[in-house]
Amino acid sequence: MKKVLLTASLFMFYNCAVTAQTTLRHAPEGFDTPRPQTAKGVIDTIQYPSKTVGATRRALVYLPPGYSPQKQYPVLYLLHGIGGDEFEWLHGGQPQVILDNLYADHKLADMIVVMPNGRAMKDDRATGDIMARDKVEAFATFEKDLLQDLIPFIEQQYPALKDREHRAIAGLSMGGGQSLNFGLGNLDQFAWVGAFSAAPNTKSPELLVPDPAKAKQQLKLLFLSCGDGDRLITFTSRTHEYLDQHQVPHIYYIEPGVHDFKVWKNGLYLYSQFLFKPVDTAAYKKYSTL
Ligand code: FER
């Protein structure tokens, strides 16, 4: 009997320990494979007037399975990288497949996902010299386009919840830098901030988080991920070190990988599951991988 109890308690202890550690494990195989039988979200193409750019601009909008205009939804703004546009996530990452599968597994809060074009200039295509100064600067200009043009449009066209706790931002590379710059720079607008392989446009930590106590109080989630073989990893690691020094809870998820969609898809898979749910920011450290 004693032996049975010991075995049972060991089994339970092992399970608890494993559960705590695997809460934020790498996406399982098949997470990005379409399942024929499951409900699918819908992708809209929208056009919005931008005073910032002086043009009509395009974005994609993912509406979750079971979407109803009678309900109200939080919104995630999901941003692309320097070589992409509003289609980069769709073509390279198929986020709708990842999200549909998470919904099928009841792992995701209902949300609208907006994929904008983060190069806020008249010709916003990723053609020619994508590193040209005006094109890189347009990624900074997008802060104004996002806050003053796109978000108000989305909140007028869709049944969106309009407070900071129901608004999230995340992105890959240049879009990761934008998410940190715009999210942490506008904590009155965003409570959930994620950056996958943040690029050199990421502001220095002191500029990103000048008031760590305020950030700590305002943030629901700050999520940083990067591949360990990514030559841009310093923009993530220096941010993490500053946040640690100033006791701002965050997830620092380093995985085997480089600067590509394998890491970014996993970033979306992990980050999205936290969104718009009750949080335990004190537990974020245990999810971090070093
Ligand atoms: C740079 C290297 C990479 C840079 C931007 C990037 C603006 C962005 C990469 C990406 O978005 O994938 O020097 O400077």
Side-chain angles (χ1 to χ4, degrees), residues 81-82 131 136 173-174 199-200 232 259:
I82 202 161
M131 291 285 188
V136 171
S173 201
M174 280 298 269
L232 300 180
H259 198 73

Side-chain angles (χ1 to χ4, degrees), residues 22-39:
T22 52
T23 315
L24 204 61
R25 271 283 168 86
H26 197 278
E29 208 173 317
F31 81 108
D32 57 351
T33 306
R35 301 182 203 163
Q37 307 299 331
T38 58

Side-chain angles (χ1 to χ4, degrees), residues 35-211:
R35 301 182 203 163
Q37 307 299 331
T38 58
K40 302 288 185 286
V42 170
I43 295 174
D44 283 352
T45 304
I46 59 150
Q47 298 196 32
Y48 65 100
S50 166
K51 286 208 178 79
T52 303
V53 176
T56 301
R57 311 200 67 226
R58 284 175 204 275
L60 302 182
V61 178
Y62 168 87
L63 305 171
Y67 172 82
S68 155
Q70 267 74 54
K71 294 186 197 162
Q72 286 204 296
Y73 296 87
V75 184
L76 163 63
Y77 292 85
L78 185 62
L79 312 181
H80 62 81
I82 202 161
D85 55 25
E86 69 273 26
F87 295 106
E88 185 179 19
W89 268 102
L90 189 72
H91 293 160
Q94 299 224 283
Q96 79 284 12
V97 176
I98 298 172
L99 299 171
D100 287 345
N101 289 346
L102 283 169
Y103 280 115
D105 293 339
H106 309 288
K107 286 183 169 170
L108 214 53
D110 271 344
M111 69 181 89
I112 292 171
V113 181
V114 180
M115 290 169 272
N117 182 309
R119 190 182 292 100
M121 62 196 292
K122 286 211 166 74
D123 177 6
D124 60 10
R125 296 302 94 194
T127 49
D129 178 8
I130 54 167
M131 291 285 188
R133 180 194 275 252
D134 60 335
K135 296 198 180 182
V136 171
E137 277 174 7
F139 278 84
T141 309
F142 182 64
E143 179 169 12
K144 192 169 172 214
D145 181 81
L146 173 67
L147 294 175
Q148 297 184 11
D149 302 309
L150 178 58
I151 290 177
F153 181 85
I154 292 292
E155 295 182 354
Q156 186 204 336
Q157 296 291 317
Y158 291 94
L161 293 159
K162 298 183 173 73
D163 59 302
R164 59 182 296 284
E165 299 206 358
H166 293 99
R167 215 180 276 131
I169 188 165
L172 70 89
S173 201
M174 280 298 269
Q178 286 177 312
S179 298
L180 296 174
N181 297 344
F182 308 165
L184 298 172
N186 297 279
L187 287 169
D188 59 328
Q189 300 294 319
F190 301 97
W192 314 79
V193 178
F196 319 136
S197 320
N201 63 330
T202 306
K203 289 181 183 170
S204 69
E206 296 77 13
L207 289 178
L208 269 184
V209 188
D211 185 348

